[in-house]
Amino acid sequence: MADADPKLAAPSLDAVRARLDEIDAALLALVDERAGLARHVAAAKAAAGDGDKFALRPGRETALLRRLLARERTAARPSLVVRIWRELIGDSLSRQGPFHINVWGGKDPARSVEFARHRFGAAPPLRSVPKAEEALAAAKTPGGVGVLALAADTPWWGRLLADPKLQVFAALPCLAAWGPMTALAVAEVEVEPTGDDRTFWVTDAPGSAAAIEDVLSRDGVAGDLIAEAGGLKLFALIGFYQAGDERLARAPGRLSGVIGAAPAPLDV
């Protein structure tokens, strides 16, 4: 039997470790350069008169992550890519101005905090609050983001009908692999379509969710009930709908409206 070709032999452990050291050094240099560019972005915005605006751009972040996930990879899982860039983005935002996270987690606060860190990284300060109202109030302060659980006994999302500046812009977790939707993130930010979105719509229409979904479907609107409490129902509609959409104006309910939209999970 012929000897194996040494060129095809697997590299030694020492060689692999040496290559890892090289990659780590190169990664650190790039990460350091990227972090430094955040200061230049902040300076450019200040020069343009936008220094006081919250730097959070959910649509831009989603476009970046989708481009990265669409690139050819041989080993890096979507969760690894998303976690790394969420940390980079969160650090960059924290360098450009105020940025803080306030979490109301309902009966499982630890899970909501975990998903908030996955979404916004470790850089922004994060605190848990005992009431949903506190998270909503904090989200209205400069650089504030509220992360609130979808709890059956607290229809906090209904309050957004009376406060249109405060918008849902993210659904947590952002990867389907991490489980079903359990919380929403809100802030005073502009919500833009990303090409694959879920719009959050509230209604006080009586009757079953199935009956409401049937009426919506007759107008070409597809969606699912995701929360119900206090006589209000919260639906996630497939697609991006603006507040004045005629199809939703014809939907059932005397008190109803769009409270924001979020990108669909990044791994579907």
Side-chain angles (χ1 to χ4, degrees):
M1 181 176 181
D3 293 335
D5 186 344
K7 294 181 180 179
L8 300 179
S12 69
L13 181 57
D14 287 342
V16 172
R17 286 173 173 167
R19 180 57 181 151
L20 286 172
D21 289 343
E22 293 173 354
I23 292 173
D24 288 340
L27 282 174
L28 177 58
L30 291 172
V31 169
D32 187 56
E33 180 181 0
R34 193 186 198 282
L37 289 174
R39 291 192 290 269
H40 295 298
V41 171
K45 288 182 176 179
D50 294 330
D52 294 334
K53 293 180 64 175
F54 192 11
L56 181 65
R57 291 286 305 277
R60 180 178 172 83
E61 293 177 16
T62 299
L64 167 62
L65 289 168
R66 286 180 179 160
R67 286 199 304 270
L68 292 171
L69 291 172
R71 292 178 69 91
E72 185 177 352
R73 306 186 310 277
T74 58
R77 298 186 180 95
S79 58
L80 176 62
V81 175
V82 170
R83 288 295 302 278
I84 289 173
W85 263 268
R86 287 297 191 200
E87 290 291 345
L88 293 173
I89 293 169
D91 182 79
S92 178
L93 289 174
S94 69
R95 294 169 184 266
Q96 295 179 45
F99 185 27
H100 53 96
I101 314 299
N102 304 271
V103 181
W104 176 75
K107 295 181 180 179
D108 192 359
R111 186 170 179 79
S112 295
V113 168
E114 177 187 9
F115 285 150
R117 280 302 187 203
H118 285 351
R119 174 59 179 78
F120 300 104
L126 181 152
R127 69 184 183 113
S128 293
V129 296
K131 296 181 179 180
E133 295 82 0
E134 293 182 49
L136 292 175
K140 298 176 69 174
T141 62
V145 170
V147 173
L148 299 97
L150 291 169
D153 58 349
T154 308
W156 59 264
W157 28 269
R159 299 180 180 225
L160 301 188
L161 289 173
D163 195 351
K165 287 186 178 181
L166 202 58
Q167 293 275 298
V168 173
F169 68 89
L172 308 183
C174 61
L175 291 174
W178 291 345
M181 184 191 314
T182 61
L184 300 175
V186 302
E188 290 190 343
V189 294
E190 181 180 0
V191 177
E192 302 170 314
T194 70
D196 186 7
D197 301 283
R198 301 295 179 265
T199 298
F200 298 96
W201 177 71
V202 176
T203 182
D204 65 350
S208 68
I212 296 171
E213 289 166 8
D214 182 60
V215 173
L216 289 170
S217 68
R218 296 175 197 170
D219 222 347
V221 179
D224 296 299
L225 180 74
I226 59 172
E228 180 176 8
L232 296 174
K233 298 179 179 69
L234 174 62
F235 289 83
L237 309 179
I238 299 175
F240 187 88
Y241 293 85
Q242 296 182 329
D245 192 286
E246 293 183 359
R247 291 165 292 182
L248 299 183
R250 292 191 291 267
R254 298 178 60 185
L255 177 66
S256 63
V258 170
I259 61 170
L266 293 165
D267 56 340
V268 296

